[in-house]
């Protein structure tokens, strides 16, 4: 059960890494992202697809660019992650 959750967290981590790279280097294409992040292009392509479906990036003639939704995500990211950590901490057995 927890292995599946770990896999999902790792996938979300990659999506966030791709979103950060797009925000920092926009507009940017798949090959440049692949080189920059040292990830295979098929993984970059999948993350871009997911991010686009969720409205965090959009395609442009020159490559991917972030949307206002990404700016909002990053503005609250640390607080949202802290909340998740608190939830996980609460799941630990004590005693």
């Amino acid at each position: 059960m927890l292995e599946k959750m770990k896999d999902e967290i790792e996938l979300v981590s990659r999506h966030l890494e791709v979103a950060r790279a797009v925000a920092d280097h926009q507009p940017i294409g798949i090959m440049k992202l692949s080189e920059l992040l040292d990830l295979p292009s098929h993984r970059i392509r999948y993350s871009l697809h997911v991010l686009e479906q969720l409205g965090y990036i959009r395609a442009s003639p020159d490559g991917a660019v972030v949307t206002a939704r990404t700016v909002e995500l990053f503005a609250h990211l640390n607080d949202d992650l802290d909340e998740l950590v608190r939830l996980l901490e609460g799941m630990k057995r004590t005693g």
Side-chain angles (χ1 to χ4, degrees):
M1 174 178 14
L2 295 179
E3 187 64 32
K4 175 128 175 78
M5 186 169 62
K6 181 182 176 220
D7 292 344
E8 288 296 319
I9 291 169
E10 289 171 348
L11 185 58
V12 168
S13 176
R14 187 178 81 219
H15 295 336
L16 285 171
E17 183 180 19
V18 170
R20 280 188 187 110
V22 172
D24 292 343
H25 302 280
Q26 63 184 331
I28 189 166
I30 292 169
M31 297 312 292
K32 182 71 174 177
L33 277 168
S34 180
E35 291 173 15
L36 184 68
L37 299 176
D38 195 29
L39 290 170
S41 61
H42 68 276
R43 290 186 183 217
I44 297 293
R45 188 175 290 109
Y46 178 71
S47 289
L48 290 173
H49 174 74
V50 169
L51 291 167
E52 185 174 26
Q53 292 296 312
L54 294 172
Y56 291 110
I57 65 163
R58 66 176 179 79
S60 79
D62 297 320
V65 295
V66 296
T67 65
R69 188 167 188 187
T70 306
V71 175
E72 183 70 20
L73 170 72
F74 289 154
H76 302 285
L77 184 61
N78 287 347
D79 292 336
D80 293 341
L81 291 174
D82 287 341
E83 184 178 338
L84 288 173
V85 169
R86 280 191 295 280
L87 285 171
L88 291 170
E89 288 288 335
M91 293 170 61
K92 287 184 178 178
R93 276 183 87 158
T94 56

